[in-house]
Amino acid sequence: MKEETTVTSPLQIHMFPCLQDNYGFLVRSPDTGETACIDTPEVDKIVLALEEKGWTLTHIWNTHHHWDHAGGNLELKKLYDLKIIGCEADRKRLPGLDIGLKDGDHFNFAGHDVHVMETPGHTIGHIIYHIPSAQAAFVGDTIFALGCGRLFEGTPEQMFDSLAKISALPDDTLLYCAHEYTLSNGRFALTVEPDNQALIDFMAKAKTRRANNLPTIPTTVMAEKLANPFVRANSAERLGAIRKAKDNF
Ligand code: ZN
Ligand code: FE
């Protein structure tokens, strides 16, 4: 007798620019057709991306409550039969939230395990989504290529712990950051570590990509460990000092 095997195809990830410098992301299973968008920066752009691909939205995964991440939730919910996932602690600030999750929670997306990690700092109630099978993490505004999110609500201690959690992911994990901030982050990073060859090389590549209108996202855990001064800060105090300097840069 032939044994029945379940084949789970790799997830498809589609990335497209939104607003001034945000990225929109769609994650889809070719097996089930389920399609999630990570945050809702710009409804028109998300709808257009879905139409171009011939995909139907079934989920929204929010990283945090800022308008450029959750501002399109309700409009998209009117257009599609979908469920919104986000941080339970931020339920009041996430429009239309259906399923609230917390640190350490897992959920199944079309046969793929998705890990939820709370990464406070930029906001309280910021979460990221790690999909081991795709070697991918959707990190919102916690970490950027060569930078980290501004501390609007959290403390340097919280951001330090959050970046440590991200650093603990496998080195080849692709980090899908929500903004294209790499060149300005890199200019600042070079003032912190002017002789860091990995940083110098990263910036050279990023400049070429941007000159050709290509994204510098995703980055990787390994690249950030080597070049990102916020990830490389060895204490929360140090991170706080670098963050303050960047705010005034
Ligand atoms: Zn934000
Ligand atoms: Fe943002």
Side-chain angles (χ1 to χ4, degrees):
M1 250 185 77
K2 223 178 114 196
E3 255 184 67
E4 213 177 303
T5 53
T6 313
V7 179
T8 308
S9 308
L11 294 173
Q12 300 164 294
I13 297 177
H14 177 57
M15 179 174 144
F16 48 95
C18 291
L19 302 173
Q20 193 72 18
D21 49 33
N22 283 70
Y23 284 117
F25 307 100
L26 297 174
V27 178
R28 177 177 183 266
S29 159
D31 298 329
T32 67
E34 283 167 281
T35 305
C37 76
I38 288 75
D39 289 330
T40 55
E42 194 175 356
V43 171
D44 292 355
K45 291 279 175 66
I46 294 167
V47 171
L48 194 67
L50 287 160
E51 282 173 358
E52 277 171 5
K53 289 280 182 187
W55 297 353
T56 304
L57 199 59
T58 56
H59 295 86
I60 292 168
W61 301 351
N62 278 138
T63 62
H64 65 296
H65 73 88
H66 285 157
W67 71 273
D68 62 319
H69 297 264
N73 279 13
L74 294 181
E75 220 178 315
L76 284 166
K77 207 173 184 176
K78 269 188 222 148
L79 294 172
Y80 301 92
D81 182 16
L82 57 79
K83 290 269 179 276
I84 302 180
I85 294 176
C87 185
E88 178 59 34
D90 243 348
R91 177 170 286 278
K92 288 206 180 90
R93 302 197 291 184
L94 293 171
L97 183 71
D98 294 297
I99 303 164
L101 300 173
K102 59 178 192 320
D103 191 51
D105 280 347
H106 291 226
F107 63 91
N108 186 289
F109 180 73
H112 296 263
D113 193 26
V114 184
H115 296 205
V116 172
M117 288 158 49
E118 288 188 33
T119 57
H122 178 66
T123 63
I124 304 298
H126 190 298
I127 60 178
I128 71 173
Y129 299 87
H130 176 221
I131 314 174
S133 70
Q135 293 173 310
F138 294 92
V139 294
D141 287 359
T142 297
I143 188 171
F144 298 118
L146 307 181
C148 75
R150 271 177 196 259
L151 301 179
F152 285 118
E153 299 174 8
T155 62
E157 287 72 21
Q158 285 173 317
M159 182 55 91
F160 183 77
D161 292 343
S162 295
L163 294 179
K165 279 186 187 173
I166 293 170
S167 306
L169 296 175
D171 280 341
D172 57 0
T173 306
L174 298 165
L175 301 176
Y176 288 89
C177 317
H179 291 268
E180 179 62 60
Y181 287 160
T182 310
L183 292 187
S184 69
N185 283 342
R187 279 191 287 274
F188 170 75
L190 282 166
T191 67
V192 182
E193 284 195 79
D195 302 322
N196 180 336
Q197 194 57 48
L199 170 57
I200 293 164
D201 294 345
F202 193 122
M203 265 302 264
K205 266 186 219 150
K207 275 184 191 160
T208 307
R209 289 190 67 82
R210 294 309 295 148
N212 291 300
N213 210 20
L214 294 169
T216 63
I217 305 304
T219 179
T220 65
V221 168
M222 182 49 117
E224 297 310 311
K225 279 186 190 170
L226 291 173
N228 184 324
F230 298 94
V231 173
R232 292 164 65 75
N234 54 15
S235 68
E237 293 67 40
R238 174 79 181 137
L239 184 148
I242 300 173
R243 187 59 258 179
K244 199 166 272 175
K246 171 72 165 80
D247 291 344
N248 299 312
F249 183 63

